[in-house]
Amino acid sequence: MATAAVRFTAAALTDRGRKRPSNEDAFGFSVEDGVYVLCDGMGGAAAGEVASSIAVDEVLRIFHERNGSAVLPHDAEEAIGIANEAIYSRGRRNYKLSGMGTTLVAVVVRNQHVWVLNVGDSRCYRLRAGKLEQVTLDHSLVEEQVRMGRMTKAEAARSPMRNMITRALGTQGQVTPDCFNFDAQAGDLLLLCSDGLTRELSDSLIQSLISSDLPLEQRCSRLIEAAKKAGGHDNITCVLVQAD
């Protein structure tokens, strides 16, 4: 049963993978403030790195400044809006950064209550009682076609449009995140990850790699190494959040 005594621990790891010259993913978390964020940047030159870093920093800053007084999920959505505006304004001021953007997936916890917010195709999964479930819905062209029944999962995986996302931070003046919520149970494990992981590994393999009693850091390492072994075509980042 979910109780107010649920406590959280976390670990994270990122890797540029085998093909990309740099790492445009970013992550950050504060167990004390109950917020965990992962972003996958995009844009020419170093613009993707700038966008993802701004998003992570802004969300963490806002929750730290509000010091546990945030009203959820309203303040989480507001924090994402502030991050979006910071990226969008920076891109408009500097032509070298024009058009930069980033995905975002965030988990915010208060006692046993969990809110998951996402923009783009970075994902959150929940492992509960040995079963892995995808909490978020990808904002990508092919996944939206799959949900409408116009494309199969297999067709989506092969599609030349599989990299096209339909929503991102920083590319427009405003953005609306999806928001999901549930009560955590002791033993729940949340995985936040960029598409560099999910493009390489099936959900069943992800489930097997994180269903162990190994320390969270080692489970992150197992995910990264498996994705690199499978090809490592993109940056790979994962954040694991354990409810105890």
Side-chain angles (χ1 to χ4, degrees):
M1 296 292 291
T3 71
V6 173
R7 295 185 180 183
F8 296 86
T9 55
L13 192 62
T14 188
D15 193 285
R16 67 182 177 88
R18 293 184 177 275
K19 307 293 184 181
R20 296 295 178 91
S22 62
N23 193 343
E24 295 186 319
D25 288 359
F27 71 86
F29 62 84
S30 169
V31 175
E32 295 78 11
D33 296 326
V35 58
Y36 309 82
V37 191
L38 181 151
C39 295
D40 179 356
M42 56 194 178
E49 296 173 35
V50 173
S52 61
S53 295
I54 290 173
V56 170
D57 291 347
E58 284 294 291
V59 172
L60 291 177
R61 176 186 65 80
I62 291 162
F63 274 91
H64 183 68
E65 288 178 354
R66 297 185 183 181
N67 194 24
S69 64
V71 178
L72 297 169
H74 174 270
D75 281 14
E77 295 174 347
E78 182 181 1
I80 291 171
I82 291 170
N84 181 77
E85 174 59 28
I87 298 165
Y88 184 70
S89 297
R90 181 83 173 270
R92 287 171 67 88
R93 292 196 306 270
N94 185 341
Y95 77 92
K96 293 182 180 179
L97 302 177
S98 178
M100 69 176 174
T102 183
T103 69
L104 177 144
V105 59
V107 166
V108 183
V109 299
R110 288 291 181 272
N111 300 318
Q112 80 272 27
H113 305 299
V114 178
W115 288 265
V116 179
L117 301 100
N118 77 295
V119 176
D121 60 358
S122 292
R123 294 179 180 176
C124 176
Y125 290 88
R126 182 183 67 190
L127 181 69
R128 172 178 286 178
K131 181 181 179 182
L132 187 72
E133 300 175 273
Q134 184 177 333
V135 177
T136 53
L137 299 175
D138 292 358
H139 300 138
S140 71
L141 185 62
V142 295
E143 286 297 326
E144 290 174 0
Q145 293 292 307
V146 169
R147 290 197 290 272
M148 290 187 290
R150 297 177 179 174
M151 184 179 287
T152 67
K153 281 280 189 182
E155 289 169 339
R158 296 190 303 267
S159 173
M161 298 183 293
R162 64 185 180 275
N163 292 325
M164 294 182 63
I165 61 173
T166 56
R167 208 181 301 182
L169 266 72
T171 57
Q172 295 182 332
Q174 293 183 324
V175 69
T176 302
D178 284 351
C179 182
F180 309 85
N181 71 286
F182 56 89
D183 285 349
Q185 297 179 9
D188 281 356
L189 181 65
L190 304 179
L191 166 65
L192 288 69
C193 58
S194 60
D195 68 341
L197 185 77
T198 53
R199 294 276 173 83
E200 305 289 5
L201 305 181
S202 66
D203 286 4
S204 60
L205 181 52
I206 290 172
Q207 177 175 314
S208 70
L209 290 169
I210 63 176
S211 298
S212 73
D213 294 326
L214 291 172
L216 295 180
E217 293 84 355
Q218 286 183 240
R219 283 184 260 181
C220 286
S221 181
R222 291 177 73 188
L223 289 169
I224 296 287
E225 290 308 311
K228 289 174 70 175
K229 186 176 180 180
H233 294 90
D234 200 352
N235 307 145
I236 312 155
T237 306
C238 55
V239 179
L240 287 173
V241 185
Q242 177 81 58
D244 298 313

